[in-house]
């Protein structure tokens, strides 16, 4: 989970820099990546807490 959290922090720290250096796409792809990371992190936290994730 730490990898995903760090990835999300890098995106949120400076979106323009992230797009220029790490992402070959556009703002839509960046937003989708950010949303996917949030989902992954939330599901992993739920699994760690013993919740059923569907």
């Amino acid at each position: 989970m730490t990898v995903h959290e760090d990835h999300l922090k890098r995106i949120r720290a400076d979106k323009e820099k992230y797009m220029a250096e790490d992402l070959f796409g556009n703002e839509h792809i960046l937003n989708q990546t950010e949303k996917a990371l949030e989902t992954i992190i939330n599901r992993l936290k739920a699994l760690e807490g013993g919740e059923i994730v569907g």
Side-chain angles (χ1 to χ4, degrees), residues 14-33:
D14 189 343
K15 290 184 180 189
E16 293 297 322
K17 180 180 176 187
Y18 182 86
M19 282 198 303
E21 294 179 356
D22 297 314
L23 185 70
F24 300 100
N26 56 34
E27 194 170 340
H28 174 74
I29 293 171
L30 177 67
N31 292 334
Q32 293 298 313
T33 302

Side-chain angles (χ1 to χ4, degrees), residues 6-49:
D6 290 343
H7 191 176
L8 186 56
K9 284 178 189 174
R10 282 187 296 137
I11 290 173
R12 290 183 172 164
D14 189 343
K15 290 184 180 189
E16 293 297 322
K17 180 180 176 187
Y18 182 86
M19 282 198 303
E21 294 179 356
D22 297 314
L23 185 70
F24 300 100
N26 56 34
E27 194 170 340
H28 174 74
I29 293 171
L30 177 67
N31 292 334
Q32 293 298 313
T33 302
E34 185 175 7
K35 187 172 182 162
L37 285 167
E38 290 171 351
T39 300
I40 291 166
I41 291 166
N42 289 333
R43 288 182 179 180
L44 287 172
K45 286 181 179 178
L47 288 170
E48 284 182 342

